[in-house]
Amino acid sequence: MAFHIPEDYYYTKEHEWAQVDENIVTVGITEFAQDSLGEVVYVELPEEGQKITQGQTFGVIESVKAVSDLYAPVSGTVIEVNASLGDDPSILNDDPVNEGWLVRIEMDTEKELANLMRAPEYKKLIAEK
């Protein structure tokens, strides 16, 4: 299966994506993660205003197969949460890379982006799975 992996996004080894627009980072899970999890049935996300730290958990995603932690790609303050996922987590099954975004973070420092993968590296990572 060919997964949609936007070239301009950043990626974590835990299969989160990060789209950067100046100092605002939109975060979600990759199609590979959704495919591995199976049907998503519940998402637990942080509150707006909550501080999160790169590499630390910021929420939980539950599917019919497993419960997985969500890891922050960058440190910063949560400025928006995708409230529609609380009502309908199945959005993540259909479109994890666009409509299924999880949170928006006001990033503390762009330097942390150097710790993330770009699309070519991420494609290699999932090809090894």
Side-chain angles (χ1 to χ4, degrees):
M1 176 174 173
F3 297 106
H4 176 58
I5 302 169
E7 291 292 327
D8 58 333
Y9 287 18
Y10 291 83
Y11 299 90
T12 69
K13 65 183 188 307
E14 293 86 17
H15 310 290
E16 286 84 21
W17 56 260
Q19 178 195 24
V20 180
D21 183 9
E22 296 186 6
N23 67 329
I24 306 300
V25 179
T26 303
V27 180
I29 62 167
T30 65
E31 286 185 0
F32 178 86
Q34 189 284 320
D35 186 64
S36 300
L37 284 166
E39 185 184 345
V40 175
V41 294
Y42 176 74
V43 182
E44 182 180 307
L45 297 172
E47 300 284 320
E48 288 179 14
Q50 187 173 326
K51 292 270 192 197
I52 59 175
T53 304
Q54 185 179 51
Q56 301 297 309
T57 60
F58 71 89
V60 174
I61 190 165
E62 193 173 320
S63 73
V64 292
K65 290 186 196 175
V67 176
S68 297
D69 287 328
L70 296 165
Y71 293 90
V74 295
S75 301
T77 303
V78 176
I79 58 167
E80 191 177 353
V81 175
N82 189 348
S84 59
L85 294 178
D87 300 327
D88 186 10
S90 70
I91 295 167
L92 280 165
N93 301 319
D94 300 326
D95 191 7
V97 178
N98 293 301
E99 293 299 312
W101 62 274
L102 303 172
V103 295
R104 289 199 170 103
I105 301 165
E106 188 171 354
M107 172 170 52
D108 288 345
T109 174
E110 285 186 23
K111 291 178 184 169
E112 288 184 336
L113 296 174
N115 300 329
L116 303 176
M117 289 179 276
R118 296 311 304 247
E121 294 169 90
Y122 184 70
K123 287 175 185 174
K124 283 183 193 162
L125 175 78
I126 63 173
E128 295 166 4
K129 299 277 180 206

